[in-house]
Amino acid sequence: MRPKVPLISRRRALEVALAIVDDDGLEALSIRRLAGALGVNSASLYHHFRNKEDILAGMADLVLAEVREVGEPGVSWRDWLPGNARALRRALLAHPALLPVLVASRSHGFGEHLLDASAARLMREGVPSAVVMPLLDALAAFAVSSALHEARGDGPGDGPGDGAAERYPALAKAVAERGLTADQIYDLVIGSILAALDTAVDQQRARWMSSIPVPVDEPL
């Protein structure tokens, strides 16, 4: 007989699943292991999830839900979006084992319901709808590529391996004297993306305004 009160909640199951993946990698997650960690039978998980893929999707949403908050009311999108992009990168780096799930899924793993609030606010603030998805896609793509780059050990200070410095002296010198951290590089590129899209917004708006017919007064 099914208990009147569920033994576990969907969120609790996702939190435990995420802990498993963070500790032991994506391949360590299974229905059986998750059920054991929660102290329930495997069948109990099917009250909340259709299959393992549904769990993976839920984990991605759990990680990214707070990132897609649209900031305080009254804050311009030009101020909110850079902070949002930084938060996205931090979330990805906090759960590097989940990156394959995010990369493989549509729109870099961001569910449509998570993007909708961002798109709605941008359009409310006057960003032309034609520019919204290029803007969000560009920021998401760079956040994912940056996180992948760092997660595999290509971050600042990761130069030639043992004994390779003598074979690649220029690379070793460049790495040792690197003038910008990964965070600084990320901020610079995000700023460039926003500046470019900001210009595109102004150009798009100007084109739309010029296409609106100007009423001509009829002669008396």
Side-chain angles (χ1 to χ4, degrees):
M1 180 182 297
R2 179 182 299 182
K4 294 181 179 180
V5 179
L7 298 176
I8 56 172
S9 67
R10 176 182 172 89
R11 182 178 181 87
R12 174 58 181 161
L14 291 174
E15 290 172 345
V16 172
L18 187 59
I20 292 173
V21 171
D22 286 343
D23 291 342
D24 299 324
L26 196 59
E27 66 284 353
L29 180 66
S30 67
I31 296 290
R32 177 176 294 181
R33 176 162 180 187
L34 178 56
L38 289 165
V40 299
N41 294 324
S42 297
S44 297
L45 290 173
Y46 291 103
H47 296 314
H48 300 284
F49 308 100
R50 295 185 300 275
N51 47 39
K52 181 179 176 179
E53 287 67 31
D54 196 20
I55 296 174
L56 295 176
M59 291 164 60
D61 282 351
L62 182 65
V63 169
L64 298 170
E66 293 183 3
V67 177
R68 286 292 161 187
E69 293 294 332
V70 295
E72 296 295 328
V75 177
S76 168
W77 69 271
R78 293 170 178 82
D79 297 321
W80 155 65
L81 218 47
N84 181 270
R86 295 184 194 101
L88 172 56
R89 178 170 168 271
R90 286 195 299 270
L92 297 177
L93 288 174
H95 306 282
L98 197 61
L99 276 168
V101 175
L102 303 174
V103 173
S105 57
R106 184 180 181 272
S107 297
H108 300 293
F110 310 131
E112 292 179 354
H113 66 288
L114 296 175
L115 283 168
D116 186 66
S118 299
R121 175 160 182 176
L122 288 169
M123 287 186 284
R124 283 198 305 271
E125 291 195 31
V127 178
S129 57
V131 180
V132 168
M133 285 316 301
L135 175 58
L136 295 177
D137 282 345
L139 294 176
F142 184 59
V144 170
S145 63
S146 176
L148 283 171
H149 185 74
E150 289 194 58
R152 72 183 188 209
D154 294 333
D158 296 315
D162 293 341
E166 293 182 1
R167 298 197 303 273
Y168 308 109
L171 177 59
K173 179 178 174 61
V175 169
E177 299 176 4
R178 182 188 293 264
L180 295 172
T181 67
D183 289 343
Q184 290 171 325
I185 293 170
Y186 188 78
D187 285 348
L188 282 173
V189 176
I190 290 298
S192 297
I193 291 173
L194 289 174
L197 268 296
D198 203 5
T199 299
V201 167
D202 291 339
Q203 293 174 345
Q204 184 78 279
R205 186 179 291 112
R207 283 196 294 269
W208 286 1
M209 292 299 294
S210 65
S211 67
I212 299 176
V214 178
V216 178
D217 293 337
E218 296 182 1
L220 296 175

